[in-house]
Amino acid sequence: MTEKIFATPGAALEGLLFDGMTIMSGGFGLSGNPESLIPEIRQAGVSGLTVISNNAGADGFGLWMLLESRQIRKMISSYVGENKLFEQQYLSGELELELNPQGTLAERIRAGGAGIPAFYTKTGVGTVVAEGKPVETFDGEAYVRETWLRADLSIVKAWRADPAGNLVFRKTARNFNPNMATAGKVTVAEVEEIVPAGTLDPDGIHTPGIYVDRVVRSTINEKRIEKRTTRAREGAAV
Amino acid sequence: MAWTRDEMAARAARELKDGFYVNLGIGIPTLVANHIPVGMQVTLQSENGMLGIGPFPYDDEVDPDLINAGKQTISELSTSSYFSSADSFAMIRGGHIDLTILGAMEIAANGDIANWTVPGKMVKGMGGAMDLVAGVKRVVVVMEHVSKQGDPKILGRCTLPLTGAGVVDLVITDLGVLAVDREREVLTLLELAPGTSVEEVCDRTGARIVLAEVG
């Protein structure tokens, strides 16, 4: 079997990065981000990047690092609020932004991984999202055509991996990661734990290893919390 | 007295039915979860990939891998499930969610809704809102009746870029409850908040209102 496990995040990206490339980066908000791989892209200094990711990080965290270093030329996202740096670069015209409805973004990525160049959806019909795109009627309702998204490289974050590259995600840190893993020409997964073959239940694999080319253990697991909300224990003294 | 935010959420909770799968938006809609009637089974979906949202966690159980679509830390239930973003939106776009309750900046008598951008100000993005209004079986909007400047938010036609065209079923405001007849482009006043009047609602609405027939 080809060795998929790499020693360091830097080694896992060796030979994969180039100027002007398209990168998919998993995560929803600050959860499930490839926190160890992003700094390596910054370190490599590649520029003119198109980055496909639901959000664009937060101050000092995640993709924000590649915004700060001016390596990103264009973002394809669904929500970029709560990010001052993004706002500045967008308003000054340095950064191009393509906003997609979140479900359309997810499905475009899924379609890219599944070899489906286009599909129709009701989402966005009658809005700016549908402008310039073909609209067709099916069973009496209007649907807009959306096209696939694929990337030169997908970087994803999983909880556990085995030597075959099979991945298991944890709770809502899964989000876009399994979809993006299918849509990269090369997919690099950083994981919290690499386990021996036979450890993961084959029935419980979320991403089969065929989609994963390289695996590396995370060196950064900050897992920043954006909004810490809690409840008091019943009967607890205040 | 017009309804408070919590009273609006309580009124919105009366749109829930036993067995419903529901997606709640950010803001007042999130408060609806506090008003689910005891004994009623309602399963909350979070578009970042979870079905069966539990309450906020205890302080020592906070898990950064477990958040809702508003990025708040939450907890899981014994019946919760997790899935990818594509699976999550297949649920939403495939018509499997019974009800969504959302905030809005404007709605119109034809059922149009605008809640994602104000041109000239920073574009934050639509997130999952366009998918929700297009794909969920019933769309209920909960919002203040007028803007902070006192301008009507319920209009004949939206002035802001749309989130969805012809999708809203019901709107609950601090002043009352209005049903949207998208075909006839008519709003029917179903309920008044205490201390408000039909005249006040009509004055503060930018679209034609008819009164519900009292049966």
Side-chain angles (χ1 to χ4, degrees), chain A residues 28-29 31 55 78-82 86-87 90-91 97 99-104 106-107 110 119 121-129 170-176 178-179 192 223 225-234, chain B residues 47-50 55-76 82-87 89-90 93 116 121-128 130-132 134-135 161-165:
Chain A
F28 178 94
S31 136
N55 317 94
S78 90
Y79 187 82
V80 291
E82 286 92 52
F86 191 103
E87 188 172 307
Y90 175 71
L91 292 176
L97 170 63
L99 281 174
N100 282 205
Q102 196 173 142
T104 295
E107 188 64 12
R110 195 196 73 81
F119 60 91
T121 177
K122 250 195 293 190
T123 299
V125 170
T127 77
V128 292
V129 165
R170 191 169 174 277
K171 303 184 189 282
T172 55
R174 188 183 316 189
N175 55 65
F176 282 85
N179 309 123
E192 288 170 49
K223 296 194 185 185
I225 292 173
E226 207 162 329
K227 290 174 189 160
R228 186 187 179 93
T229 44
T230 58
R231 71 189 145 130
R233 282 194 191 277
E234 291 80 359
Chain B
E47 62 264 30
N48 55 323
M50 183 185 196
F56 290 146
Y58 296 121
D59 199 52
D60 55 359
E61 289 173 355
V62 166
D63 184 340
D65 290 340
L66 183 43
I67 60 170
N68 64 18
K71 283 103 177 194
Q72 296 171 313
T73 49
I74 50 170
S75 67
E76 65 184 17
Y82 300 107
F83 32 82
S84 73
S85 297
D87 287 334
F89 282 93
R93 293 144 67 110
W116 73 278
K121 298 192 178 178
M122 176 53 193
V123 178
K124 287 175 187 281
M126 65 290 284
M130 286 193 178
D131 306 285
L132 285 163
L162 297 185
T163 306

Side-chain angles (χ1 to χ4, degrees), chain A residues 55-77:
Chain A
N55 317 94
D59 284 2
F61 185 95
L63 292 171
W64 184 93
M65 292 184 188
L66 303 185
L67 288 172
E68 197 210 21
S69 56
R70 304 289 195 277
Q71 286 168 274
I72 302 177
R73 182 187 66 81
K74 179 181 179 181
M75 286 286 310
I76 302 176
S77 304

Side-chain angles (χ1 to χ4, degrees), chain A residues 143-222:
Chain A
Y143 293 78
V144 59
R145 193 175 82 192
E146 296 283 358
T147 53
W148 61 7
L149 283 172
R150 293 180 294 173
D152 298 306
L153 169 68
S154 285
I155 52 173
V156 302
K157 167 69 187 289
W159 178 37
R160 303 171 93 192
D162 70 11
N166 293 312
L167 303 181
V168 175
F169 301 91
R170 191 169 174 277
K171 303 184 189 282
T172 55
R174 188 183 316 189
N175 55 65
F176 282 85
N177 285 297
N179 309 123
M180 289 183 170
T182 69
K185 277 183 202 151
V186 181
T187 291
V188 179
E190 64 165 272
V191 303
E192 288 170 49
E193 196 183 349
I194 297 172
V195 298
T199 309
L200 302 177
D201 177 0
D203 265 335
I205 303 289
H206 298 142
T207 292
I210 191 170
Y211 297 115
V212 179
D213 301 284
R214 300 182 180 188
V215 174
V216 66
R217 190 146 177 244
S218 293
T219 51
I220 302 171
N221 282 300
E222 184 188 341

